[in-house]
Every structure is written in C-alpha cells, then in structure tokens.
Amino acid sequence: MLPFRDRNPSGCVPYVTWAVIIANVLVFAAFYPLGTDASVARIYHDWGLIPDRFLRGDGLVTPLTAMFVHGGWIHLALNMLFLRVFGDNLEAELGSLRFGLFYLACGIVAFALQVLAEPSSPVAIAGASGAVAGVMGGYLLMFPRARVEMLLWYVVGLRVVAVPAWALLGAWFVVQVAGGMTTPADGGVAFWAHVGGFLAGVALCSRTWRLRGGRIFWRRFGGVPPHPTAQVVIPVVRRRGAAPLPPAQPNGLFRR
C-alpha cells in the first residue's frame, strides 16, 4: 500500500515543500547516479551522521547535512512522495517560514533520538525520513480525518483506496516503534529516527493546534484541512420590513 495524494488541496503554492524536494533531488543527482562506490561511500561518511563520531565532537553539522543525503532511488522517492502528500497542507497552516524551521527541527530531533538509541554506532545515518516523519506527525494532529488515497496492489492489479489519516499514520507509527524494539542495532533502518521525528512533529504543532481551537478546530472542519474554496456565511441583521439586499458580487479582493 502506497499513499500518493490526499483529497485536501491546500489552495496555496507550498514553496518550502517544493524547495526541499528540489534540494534533495539535486544533491542526490550530484553524487549518486554517476558516482563510484568509493565516492558515494565518502559522501555518506562526510555528510552522514555517525553517532560515535558525533558524540566525540566531530561532524557537528552533520545533523543538517545528513537530511539531504539518501541511500538510493527508492529511499529518495519515498521520502519526497510522503513530503509532497503531507507537506502542503501543513505548510499552509504554519506558514512557509515556520514550516521550514519546523522541518529542520523535526529532522534534528529525529537524529538525536537515533544517536541516543545507538550511541556507539560507527554506521552513518542519512536521509530525510526523520524530518518527513515530523511532517506526518504534525499532519496527524492537525487533520486526523483527512482522506489519503493509496495504491493497493493485489494479485490481479492495482486499486485506489482512501483511508483516514489517523488510521494510516497511526499504523505507520506503531510499525516504527515495533521495528525499533525488535531490529538489531546494526539493522539498515533508523526506526528510532522515525519515531523521534514523528513525536517532534506532534509536539511542535500542538501550540498551533491549540491556538486554532484544539478539538473545536477538529469539529469545525471535520478533522480535515480547511478547503480553500469554502464559503463563509455571515448572518445579516436588518429591520423588520426592510427590503433584502441584493447578492454581493465577488470583487476579487479576498480569498480564503
């Protein structure tokens, strides 16, 4: 099952989301497709976060650089797909600048939890997975009932199914926790980075969620992102017997 879009257009251009996607693709294209095994390994060593090295005070900028280094086409494609699906609505709600800072903060927290889980590991951690997990966590808090379309593969073909975000993202989080608890330390997936990023996303979005009204925000919009073309009905009070006003004509000055 692969999520590929949600049913909630944001109504705005997600500049930061697209900028992050482009940056990741450009970095990957610069070192991976034409690189040799030695040159690619060098990038992982220099730009990836190595817990043992980091705790010795070396490579202190690697929590930032590691977010833009991926281990293959599938790794890159899945991270960027998830960011595109869930990033635009969250960016619309937080604002582009705050969303950019939120993304970086989630990535840093994600790496921090993975380092705490495996402090002596000499293996480089790389990828945007932790930061993207933060976007997923924030999306879950803000829009739990949003419908996400997924490609379901079965024996004779493909089918598109729509599931609520709380079910998809909640199940994903449970899988990450289970993976972190059962996978050996030298496993190939940084499960605790995913867990840390997801929890950071929920925590960092909690204030915005409360300012929007918390549960009232959920009830008002049904737990989905506010639709950009939604009409706001404003009651008009007039004296008894007065003639009704003609319908207002759109003047192009306001957009919701």
Side-chain angles (χ1 to χ4, degrees), residues 1-4 150-161:
M1 298 179 67
L2 180 67
F4 67 97
M150 305 182 66
L151 283 176
L152 174 63
W153 179 86
Y154 56 103
V155 177
V156 295
L158 295 172
R159 179 169 182 163
V160 175
V161 296

Side-chain angles (χ1 to χ4, degrees), residues 5 29 47 194 198:
R5 69 183 176 192
W47 286 34
H194 301 169
F198 192 93

Side-chain angles (χ1 to χ4, degrees), residues 157-256:
L158 295 172
R159 179 169 182 163
V160 175
V161 296
V163 298
W166 66 264
L168 170 63
L169 299 178
W172 182 89
F173 180 72
V174 170
V175 169
Q176 306 312 304
V177 174
M181 297 177 65
T182 59
T183 302
D186 59 350
V189 180
F191 287 106
W192 291 118
H194 301 169
V195 172
F198 192 93
L199 293 177
V202 174
L204 292 175
C205 280
S206 61
R207 183 174 183 272
T208 300
W209 176 69
R210 291 196 304 271
L211 290 175
R212 297 293 188 274
R215 292 179 180 272
I216 296 174
F217 178 74
W218 285 347
R219 290 197 296 269
R220 182 182 179 191
F221 295 106
V224 303
H227 198 281
T229 60
Q231 298 290 330
V232 179
V233 179
I234 302 177
V236 177
V237 179
R238 62 177 184 269
R239 297 190 307 274
R240 180 177 298 178
L245 296 174
Q249 299 298 319
N251 55 18
L253 295 179
F254 300 96
R255 173 178 292 178
R256 188 167 185 273

